[in-house]
Amino acid sequence: MPVVTTPSQSAIALTRHGLIDFEKAWQVQRTIHLEVSEGIRPNTLLLLEHPSVYTAGRRTLDSEKPQDGTPVIEVDRGGKITWHGPGQLVGYPIVKLSQPHELVGFVREIERGLINVCEDLGIKATCVSGRSGVWVIDEKGDRKIAAIGIRVSKGVTMHGFALNVCPDLSAFNQIIPCGIADADVTSISMELGRNISIEEVSPLVERHIFESLKKVCA
């Protein structure tokens, strides 16, 4: 069973699901989305990890999928193909937006929250114009540390973000992550040069993402 909490001074509930199959989590999202849109459940943030899986957003081309027969789940979010797996902290904010047609503003707030998480850990991260997600950019090149893919229906968001904490990044070698061929993928552990756990990062994500969501929720 997921752990459910509601932080003080916040109208946003939090559910921690641990490691959960992607399609099962997708069904949980759909159920919560319906309840939030009907006003019978508060805005909710799901935090979890997935077993290894590739998911393809609506803009994914067949040529961008793994060519070795690896299963790919087609999803109704924006963006292209990406990978989820253990060591990656996934967040699904299912929230009613105060400005439902301002999706870009919502994405910018999620990026800002994740950038703050990275900064708390000593990583200088940023956002890049025209490329959603959170990036580390220096003399070593451009490296994506968090991906974002969102869908809005009935003014309520679904899907969300994936922050690479300590995953096996080799899974990204089979795809062009998010359709961006001229950049690499990184993780918090890789940038810090030491092992860091999901448990260490989760409280920071909860704090900063809640601050971001409170700015855009109805």
Side-chain angles (χ1 to χ4, degrees):
M1 293 292 291
V3 177
V4 182
T5 62
T6 303
S8 60
Q9 298 180 325
S10 172
I12 305 166
L14 170 67
T15 66
R16 303 183 188 92
H17 292 261
L19 187 69
I20 179 174
D21 179 78
F22 180 86
E23 291 184 298
K24 181 178 180 181
W26 195 3
Q27 182 55 53
V28 171
Q29 281 195 76
R30 287 192 286 258
T31 298
I32 294 177
H33 182 276
L34 177 63
E35 294 173 350
V36 171
S37 64
E38 292 182 347
I40 59 177
R41 177 189 284 264
N43 293 322
T44 301
L45 172 65
L46 286 67
L47 286 181
L48 48 90
E49 294 175 78
H50 290 306
S52 184
V53 62
Y54 291 97
T55 68
R58 292 188 298 262
R59 296 193 298 111
T60 304
L61 305 175
D62 286 341
S63 61
E64 294 170 322
K65 298 176 183 177
Q67 300 302 305
D68 62 354
T70 300
V72 176
I73 298 176
E74 307 280 345
V75 292
D76 57 356
R77 59 165 171 78
K80 294 200 173 192
I81 192 167
T82 193
W83 172 82
H84 298 304
Q88 185 186 71
L89 183 58
V90 176
Y92 295 133
I94 305 178
V95 299
K96 184 170 292 186
L97 297 177
S98 57
Q99 299 184 56
H101 301 296
E102 274 295 321
L103 183 56
V104 171
F106 173 74
V107 172
R108 293 293 89 82
E109 286 298 338
I110 296 297
E111 289 172 343
R112 171 47 54 190
L114 296 173
I115 288 169
N116 289 340
V117 171
C118 290
E119 289 180 349
D120 281 357
L121 293 166
I123 299 170
K124 184 178 180 181
T126 188
C127 55
V128 176
S129 178
R131 292 183 168 182
S132 67
V134 175
W135 298 79
V136 178
I137 299 176
D138 56 25
E139 67 279 358
K140 299 176 185 176
D142 297 3
R143 308 180 297 286
K144 195 170 196 177
I145 199 167
I148 297 176
I150 302 294
R151 177 183 178 227
V152 177
S153 174
K154 300 179 181 179
V156 177
T157 61
M158 280 186 70
H159 301 290
F161 62 86
L163 176 63
N164 295 329
V165 178
C166 53
D168 179 358
L169 296 175
S170 65
F172 286 106
N173 294 337
Q174 294 193 67
I175 61 172
I176 301 174
C178 304
I180 299 173
D182 61 346
D184 292 325
V185 179
T186 190
S187 68
I188 291 173
S189 288
M190 181 173 288
E191 294 301 319
L192 294 179
R194 64 179 176 87
N195 291 329
I196 187 165
S197 68
I198 293 286
E199 289 72 25
E200 290 177 79
V201 176
S202 290
L204 298 176
V205 170
E206 291 170 18
R207 175 159 57 89
H208 287 300
I209 293 299
F210 269 109
E211 288 301 317
S212 292
L213 292 178
K214 285 191 287 187
K215 296 175 184 177
V216 295
C217 288

